[in-house]
Amino acid sequence: MTENTPPVIDPNTVRELEKARADIKTVRAELNAARAERDAIRTERDDAIKSRDGLKAQFDKQKSDGEKALADANAAVEQAKADAEAATKGATEKANAAVIRAEAKAAAVRLGAVNPDDVVKLIDLGTVKMGEDGKIDGLDAVMEAAKESRGYLFTEPAKPGTETGTTKTTPAPKAGDPEPFNAVTADAKDVAANAAAIGLRWPPR
């Protein structure tokens, strides 16, 4: 073989080289496919993490909002309860005070007060209390003390006629006396007759 003679290439070597090249292409394609799958998996993973974090943040916010709403509702209920209790207490105290003043005025009348309203205004009813049974405690002592210290506001209470002997009773009608005139049940004829009996013109002109 001379120097200018081209080397003889074994056909098997060419086939093996082509096969190797084809295998390389296949491996590269598979590698690219694997990389693409890996990237897709990473993207899905990242999306899942973001979604999880978003849902967690949303859940935490909803939980916080729910807890705040529950706390606000409980506070509103407690405030409404306190307001109702205060209103009930205030109304009860006002009603009790009104009853105590009324009873004090009645007691002042019984004790001979010249002006019972003035007596009630001047005395201190702070020690007088309304019991749970509705009875008033301490009023008698306050009224007696007021009569002693402010005697000018009182006179001797009027005694009943049964004690003074001045009881007057309406005499019973005598037999044959006409019944008293009743303008409610009388008819026109009775009205005219009664008017004539007392010297009035009927009907009036």
Side-chain angles (χ1 to χ4, degrees):
M1 181 180 298
T2 63
E3 293 181 359
N4 294 328
T5 302
V8 178
I9 299 174
D10 187 354
N12 291 331
T13 301
V14 174
R15 285 194 296 271
E16 289 178 358
L17 181 60
E18 290 177 351
K19 183 176 181 302
R21 289 175 178 173
D23 291 341
I24 291 173
K25 289 182 179 179
T26 301
V27 170
R28 285 178 177 175
E30 291 177 351
L31 179 60
N32 290 333
R35 287 174 177 173
E37 184 177 358
R38 179 202 63 190
D39 293 341
I41 292 173
R42 284 179 176 176
T43 300
E44 291 179 359
R45 180 201 64 188
D46 294 342
D47 292 342
I49 291 174
K50 290 180 181 179
S51 178
R52 180 202 65 189
D53 292 342
L55 289 174
K56 185 177 183 301
Q58 184 178 0
F59 173 77
D60 291 342
K61 185 177 184 304
Q62 290 177 347
K63 181 180 178 182
S64 177
D65 292 344
E67 290 175 349
K68 184 177 182 302
L70 180 60
D72 291 344
N74 289 335
V77 169
E78 292 299 324
Q79 185 62 46
K81 183 179 178 182
D83 291 344
E85 290 176 352
T88 300
K89 182 179 179 181
T92 301
E93 289 177 351
K94 287 183 179 180
N96 289 346
V99 172
I100 290 172
R101 286 195 299 271
E103 289 294 332
K105 184 176 179 180
V109 171
R110 290 194 299 271
L111 293 174
V114 177
N115 190 328
D117 289 328
D118 289 343
V119 174
V120 174
K121 290 178 182 178
L122 292 173
I123 62 176
D124 181 12
L125 296 174
T127 59
V128 181
K129 303 297 180 183
M130 174 79 77
E132 293 183 357
D133 56 358
K135 293 182 180 180
I136 298 176
D137 298 326
L139 180 60
D140 292 340
V142 170
M143 295 305 300
E144 290 294 340
K147 186 174 182 180
E148 290 181 6
S149 62
R150 302 177 185 273
Y152 60 90
L153 295 175
F154 297 85
T155 61
E156 286 299 322
K159 296 182 179 180
T162 53
E163 295 184 12
T164 62
T166 58
T167 302
K168 294 182 179 180
T169 58
T170 303
K174 298 179 181 179
D177 287 345
E179 295 183 1
F181 177 74
N182 189 337
V184 177
T185 59
D187 56 17
K189 183 178 179 182
D190 292 335
V191 172
N194 185 72
I198 61 176
L200 295 176
R201 181 186 299 276
W202 191 265
R205 295 179 183 177

